Amino acid sequence: MAEKLNKDAVYKAAKPEEKDYFINDGGGLYLWVKSGGSKLWQFVYTFEGKRKRLALGAYPGVTLEIARRKASEIREQLANDNDPAEGRKKVRQEKQTAKLNQERKSDGLPILNSFADITSKWLDSIINTNTADTLTKKKNRLTTWIFPFIGDKPIDGIKSAEVLAALKPLIEAGKLDTAHRLRAEISAIFAYAIVHNLTEFDPAQPVAKQIPAQKVKHRAAIIDPKLVAQLLRDISNYQGTFVVQSALRISPLLFQRPGEIRKMLWSDIDFESNEWRPFISKTDFHHIVPLSTQATEILKNIHPLTGNNTYVFPSSRGNGRPMSENTIMTALKTLGYDSEVMTAHGFRTTASTLLNEQGWSPDAIERQLSHAPRDKIRAVYNRAQYLDERRRMMQSWGDYLDTLKSGKSADVIPIRRSLNT
């Protein structure tokens, strides 16, 4: 196809007529002379059977030399089987996106389709299956550890090596549990992106085997009845605030997770049925904890002091928050029990060990420890499972602890067998 058919003088001399007309420069380049007097460069081509036109600017602002150079670039794109109109559209979109992202960053928002942006959408998608506290923890972990590395990167451009690099500081610091948890959350974010057609691959999946396994560290607990007896006497003599005294004394009686005890709500206590009915976020179900007479007495004694609060054991700072997570541990240390001997979580091990030795049903003990089945439907069905036995067990456990504390006996008593005789 012939090119450069005319000299610049031809285009300069072109005058408007009654109707628009074109002057062909060859190779698809035309000057469009409009009846109103304007002269516009146009490139006409056919792509995949469709006739198309591209505007190259107005003459003489866009000179003949510039128009021919632009036409040459377009012909090169066509030779490579690329539609120049789509390329131009993509450039416009990229400019618009860059401008929008700059505005979003100024407003403190993540870049569109970046890892941080998709993370925000993923968190919104799981809002109905997670508690607010759990969502906050997930968001904080990702914001602290992952966003500095890949937060602004396009979701479809992140590589496995970049995910591993983001987790490397945690691995080197020995925070393996956090590293594994984050790796799983990153995979969940990519799964969301895949099903929404934002990417095709989860780069976090291969990283799983690059994180060392977390060695299980068993929390210290006292299981010798004679030592338990001394622990109970020490707890009775604890001289801290009445709120901390009460929380410490009720912990071995209920043997629930320390976080659940310190966040105990008055609204979950039913004195008529003598039950505590907390929602267990760790296992995502409502638990029933039968209250022994000993536990009920502790709660009734503290009610005049904290009954107007949300929490049974509120923070001493009076900020509407529950007791600090380290309070019970600190109280135990004050009594001479460091973390190598006894922990707040250790009351669960103490109860589990001794109740099993006493012959109580392992299933009833597991349910009382709120080890819920992974199947949520089964968990709901089994919510009150073994409840009658658990009522007897919890009262017997309270009586047994009283016996130990009094020093009358430090031997393991086969409570269940004695109740059935």
Side-chain angles (χ1 to χ4, degrees), residues 107-179:
D107 293 337
L109 299 172
I111 292 173
L112 287 172
N113 286 339
S114 64
F115 180 81
D117 183 37
I118 305 309
T119 295
S120 178
K121 291 180 171 63
W122 170 70
L123 288 169
D124 288 342
S125 75
I126 62 172
I127 197 168
N128 292 325
T129 56
N130 289 263
T131 65
D133 188 45
T134 298
L135 287 171
T136 298
K137 287 179 180 179
K138 289 178 185 290
K139 182 178 180 180
N140 289 344
R141 274 195 298 268
L142 289 159
T143 301
T144 302
W145 296 103
I146 307 302
F147 284 8
F149 290 87
I150 59 174
D152 287 343
K153 289 185 174 290
I155 192 72
D156 60 350
I158 297 171
K159 298 179 180 178
S160 297
E162 292 173 313
V163 176
L164 180 59
L167 296 173
K168 203 80 170 180
L170 286 166
I171 296 172
E172 292 175 348
K175 298 179 179 180
L176 301 180
D177 183 62
T178 303

Side-chain angles (χ1 to χ4, degrees), residues 26 56 203 346 393 419:
L56 304 184
M393 181 178 73
L419 286 174

Side-chain angles (χ1 to χ4, degrees), residues 111-286:
I111 292 173
L112 287 172
N113 286 339
S114 64
F115 180 81
D117 183 37
I118 305 309
T119 295
S120 178
K121 291 180 171 63
W122 170 70
L123 288 169
D124 288 342
S125 75
I126 62 172
I127 197 168
N128 292 325
T129 56
N130 289 263
T131 65
D133 188 45
T134 298
L135 287 171
T136 298
K137 287 179 180 179
K138 289 178 185 290
K139 182 178 180 180
N140 289 344
R141 274 195 298 268
L142 289 159
T143 301
T144 302
W145 296 103
I146 307 302
F147 284 8
F149 290 87
I150 59 174
D152 287 343
K153 289 185 174 290
I155 192 72
D156 60 350
I158 297 171
K159 298 179 180 178
S160 297
E162 292 173 313
V163 176
L164 180 59
L167 296 173
K168 203 80 170 180
L170 286 166
I171 296 172
E172 292 175 348
K175 298 179 179 180
L176 301 180
D177 183 62
T178 303
H180 280 288
R181 194 183 299 270
L182 273 168
R183 205 281 320 161
E185 288 167 351
I186 295 169
S187 269
I189 292 164
F190 274 98
Y192 173 89
I194 289 169
V195 299
H196 287 84
N197 203 31
L198 299 170
T199 190
E200 296 180 352
F201 174 66
D202 171 15
Q205 194 276 331
V207 177
K209 293 185 178 179
Q210 303 305 312
I211 306 173
Q214 174 71 55
K215 293 181 180 179
V216 178
K217 183 178 180 181
H218 296 285
R219 298 177 177 91
I222 295 174
I223 57 174
D224 183 324
K226 292 181 181 178
L227 297 180
V228 173
Q230 185 58 52
L231 171 63
L232 294 171
R233 286 192 286 272
D234 289 338
I235 288 174
S236 292
N237 295 324
Y238 176 69
Q239 297 301 307
T241 66
F242 187 63
V243 170
V244 178
Q245 285 180 24
S246 300
L248 186 58
R249 290 172 184 175
I250 208 169
S251 293
L253 289 165
L254 302 184
F255 53 87
Q256 298 304 298
R257 296 179 183 86
E260 291 151 12
I261 288 180
R262 74 182 184 86
K263 294 179 181 178
M264 184 185 293
L265 303 173
W266 278 117
S267 58
D268 290 337
I269 304 294
D270 186 340
F271 283 120
E272 289 188 10
S273 61
N274 288 321
E275 290 177 353
W276 171 33
R277 300 168 183 167
F279 176 76
I280 311 300
S281 59
K282 185 177 180 66
T283 46
D284 192 22
F285 81 114
H286 284 88

Side-chain angles (χ1 to χ4, degrees), residues 241-382:
T241 66
F242 187 63
V243 170
V244 178
Q245 285 180 24
S246 300
L248 186 58
R249 290 172 184 175
I250 208 169
S251 293
L253 289 165
L254 302 184
F255 53 87
Q256 298 304 298
R257 296 179 183 86
E260 291 151 12
I261 288 180
R262 74 182 184 86
K263 294 179 181 178
M264 184 185 293
L265 303 173
W266 278 117
S267 58
D268 290 337
I269 304 294
D270 186 340
F271 283 120
E272 289 188 10
S273 61
N274 288 321
E275 290 177 353
W276 171 33
R277 300 168 183 167
F279 176 76
I280 311 300
S281 59
K282 185 177 180 66
T283 46
D284 192 22
F285 81 114
H286 284 88
H287 188 32
I288 298 176
V289 181
L291 298 173
S292 62
T293 55
Q294 292 86 351
T296 300
E297 181 181 4
I298 291 172
L299 292 172
K300 287 186 175 180
N301 285 341
I302 197 175
H303 188 268
L305 179 64
T306 68
N308 291 328
N309 289 274
T310 299
Y311 296 101
V312 177
F313 307 114
S315 168
S316 59
R317 297 178 182 178
N319 54 8
R321 298 174 65 85
M323 172 188 295
S324 165
E325 62 181 326
N326 294 320
T327 301
I328 297 301
M329 195 67 243
T330 301
L332 286 171
K333 286 183 178 179
T334 301
L335 294 173
Y337 298 90
D338 64 28
S339 59
E340 299 300 316
V341 178
M342 185 64 186
T343 62
H345 200 279
F347 290 117
R348 291 167 63 75
T349 302
T350 300
S352 176
T353 301
L354 297 183
L355 286 171
N356 272 290
E357 288 182 0
Q358 292 168 11
W360 291 97
S361 162
D363 289 329
I365 296 170
E366 285 297 294
R367 290 296 293 114
Q368 197 52 52
L369 288 165
S370 71
H371 290 162
R374 290 190 178 276
D375 182 340
K376 289 188 178 181
I377 296 177
R378 185 180 165 215
V380 173
Y381 179 77
N382 289 343

Side-chain angles (χ1 to χ4, degrees), residues 7-41:
K7 293 184 178 181
D8 188 48
V10 173
Y11 302 110
K12 187 180 294 185
K15 303 297 182 182
E17 297 180 359
E18 187 177 345
K19 291 184 179 181
D20 297 353
Y21 66 94
F22 290 89
I23 301 174
N24 183 11
D25 191 62
L29 179 62
Y30 293 84
L31 185 70
W32 183 15
V33 183
K34 303 194 73 174
S35 59
S38 59
K39 301 176 183 180
L40 307 173
W41 291 111

